[in-house]
């Protein structure tokens, strides 16, 4: 009824107002009469030739326009929230994803979905996947394919690797290095219990290189892996973006072997809301735009 009155207040003509509202003129007249009865106020002054607003109707028309504008904004906000364009998204990610992939994606989300806010939490791989399974996080960014029927897994990136080593290492000034050249080194590794998928992929890369390395277990949580390197005079096989952390005393030498690649995958619950699926699609399209997957990489 309020929208019918607002249109009639603009047109001051029942036939034109009814046409705009896509209803019959008698139906519009009945709506206005019911509104006046409910309010106990005469909103329109009618005669055989003209329709005009009463003093009460003029004030009510102005108030109605404001109410309808607020209502339309509220509806639009609700639709944006349902579509994932507004609200808060919770993103969990593993350490190495946070060097470059996550900041690039979050910047794109801010530009593409400006009304969406997000919280990003760094965690071990197992915790990220559990958070998504239990719906504590909407999206997870990890280095493995969980192959879990409860989760959707989308490939975002294939990233080349580097060897992180002390600057005093004999290979530190090389342009590139083959893994066969470091087979005798001690490698810092991530505990498999905390990142089984990631470590399984790293172990697979070593297997393709033809050796099983000596390892130094990283018992220090989070991003202190390279501190362990300095303490143990060891090296580490890392995603290329790790060099953006620029730790003192550590050199990064690119790995030349073509098979030495690590993935970044986006995971969300298989029955995630439409808004999260939209967000995942926005992220995946940006990954393609960044060229992280090359010209043609299967999902």
């Amino acid at each position: 009824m309020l929208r019918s009155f607002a249109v009639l207040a603009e047109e001051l003509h029942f036939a034109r107002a009814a046409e705009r509202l896509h209803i019959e003129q008698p139906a519009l007249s009945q709506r206005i009469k019911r509104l006046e009865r409910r309010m106990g106020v005469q909103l329109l002054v009618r005669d055989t030739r003209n329709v005009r607003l009463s003093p009460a109707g003029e004030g009510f028309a102005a108030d109605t326009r404001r109410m309808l504008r607020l209502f339309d904004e509220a509806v639009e906000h609700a639709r944006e929230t349902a579509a994932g364009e507004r609200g808060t998204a919770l993103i969990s990610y593993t350490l190495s994803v946070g060097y470059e992939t996550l900041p690039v994606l979050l910047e794109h989300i801010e530009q593409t979905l400006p009304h969406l806010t997000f919280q990003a939490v760094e965690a071990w791989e197992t915790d990220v996947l559990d958070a998504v399974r239990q719906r504590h996080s909407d999206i997870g960014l990890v280095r493995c394919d969980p192959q879990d029927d409860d989760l959707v897994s989308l490939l975002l990136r294939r990233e080349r690797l580097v060897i992180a080593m002390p600057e005093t290492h004999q290979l530190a000034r090389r342009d590139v290095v083959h893994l066969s050249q470091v087979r005798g080194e001690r490698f810092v590794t991530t505990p498999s219990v905390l990142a089984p998928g990631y470590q399984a992929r790293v172990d697979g890369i070593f297997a393709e290189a033809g050796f099983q390395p000596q390892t130094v277990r990283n018992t220090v949580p989070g991003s202190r892996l390279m501190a362990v390197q300095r303490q143990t005079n060891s090296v580490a096989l890392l995603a290329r973006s790790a060099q953006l952390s620029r730790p003192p005393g550590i050199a990064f030498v690119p790995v030349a072997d073509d098979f030495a690649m690590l993935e970044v995958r986006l995971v969300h619950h298989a029955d995630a809301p439409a808004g999260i699926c939209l967000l995942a699609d926005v992220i995946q399209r940006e990954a393609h735009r960044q060229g992280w997957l090359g010209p043609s990489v299967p999902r």
Side-chain angles (χ1 to χ4, degrees):
M1 284 191 291
L2 289 180
R3 198 171 298 278
S4 297
F5 171 73
V7 171
L8 181 57
E10 291 179 8
E11 296 291 344
L12 292 178
H13 191 284
F14 273 90
R16 289 197 300 266
E19 184 176 357
R20 278 181 56 183
L21 293 165
H22 305 291
I23 61 175
E24 298 294 329
Q25 183 174 332
L28 173 60
S29 180
Q30 289 300 316
R31 287 183 186 181
I32 300 304
K33 288 178 180 179
R34 284 199 303 272
L35 179 61
E36 289 178 319
R37 284 198 301 270
R38 181 173 298 180
M39 294 179 60
V41 173
Q42 183 180 4
L43 299 174
L44 297 167
V45 178
R46 309 166 180 82
D47 58 35
T48 56
R49 306 181 69 179
N50 297 304
V51 177
R52 59 185 174 84
L53 294 170
S54 69
E58 290 180 356
F60 186 63
D63 291 338
T64 298
R65 285 191 292 271
R66 285 193 295 270
M67 286 188 289
L68 290 174
R69 184 172 63 251
L70 290 173
F71 175 77
D72 289 341
E73 290 175 357
V75 169
E76 183 62 23
H77 290 175
R79 287 173 175 165
E80 289 174 352
T81 299
E85 298 175 8
R86 185 179 294 271
T88 300
L90 304 178
I91 302 173
S92 296
Y93 65 96
T94 57
L95 164 68
S96 66
V97 176
Y99 291 128
E100 180 182 38
T101 303
L102 178 72
V104 169
L105 294 177
L106 291 187
E107 181 180 5
H108 178 68
I109 294 170
E110 287 181 330
Q111 295 172 353
T112 307
L113 303 172
H115 299 301
L116 179 70
T117 60
F118 46 82
Q119 298 175 5
V121 179
E122 181 186 306
W124 289 106
E125 174 192 304
T126 52
D127 294 329
V128 170
L129 295 177
D130 284 345
V132 177
R133 288 188 189 102
Q134 298 169 22
R135 306 178 193 273
H136 300 317
S137 288
D138 298 306
I139 281 175
L141 298 174
V142 293
R143 290 283 186 179
C144 67
D145 186 349
Q147 297 184 348
D148 185 328
D149 290 341
D150 290 335
L151 302 177
V152 172
S153 173
L154 303 174
L155 180 60
L156 299 182
R157 186 174 192 177
R158 282 181 173 158
E159 187 174 359
R160 299 197 67 88
L161 304 185
V162 296
I163 299 289
M165 60 184 70
E167 289 179 341
T168 55
H169 195 283
Q170 61 180 349
L171 299 175
R173 295 185 181 276
R174 295 286 186 94
D175 292 331
V176 296
V177 64
H178 288 273
L179 288 175
S180 59
Q181 295 175 272
V182 291
R183 64 186 302 152
E185 299 288 341
R186 302 169 72 216
F187 281 80
V188 180
T189 61
T190 300
S192 293
V193 67
L194 298 174
Y198 170 84
Q199 195 55 45
R201 175 56 188 143
V202 171
D203 291 344
I205 292 170
F206 285 127
E208 290 187 67
F211 69 96
Q212 183 176 350
Q214 302 177 57
T215 59
V216 178
R217 187 177 179 186
N218 174 26
T219 58
V220 183
S223 58
R224 269 50 67 184
L225 179 144
M226 284 174 273
V228 175
Q229 283 186 253
R230 290 194 294 271
Q231 294 168 7
T232 59
N233 196 35
S234 54
V235 302
L237 183 64
L238 302 173
R240 182 173 59 184
S241 55
Q243 60 192 320
L244 297 174
S245 62
R246 296 183 176 86
I250 298 295
F252 296 89
V253 183
V255 175
D257 303 276
D258 289 338
F259 58 81
M261 306 278 281
L262 282 173
E263 296 180 349
V264 177
R265 284 185 172 270
L266 180 153
V267 296
H268 64 74
H269 206 281
D271 59 354
I276 298 305
C277 295
L278 169 67
L279 178 58
D281 182 64
V282 168
I283 290 173
Q284 193 174 35
R285 282 189 280 112
E286 177 62 11
H288 280 276
R289 194 186 72 83
Q290 289 288 335
W292 287 344
L293 293 175
S296 179
V297 176
R299 292 188 183 184

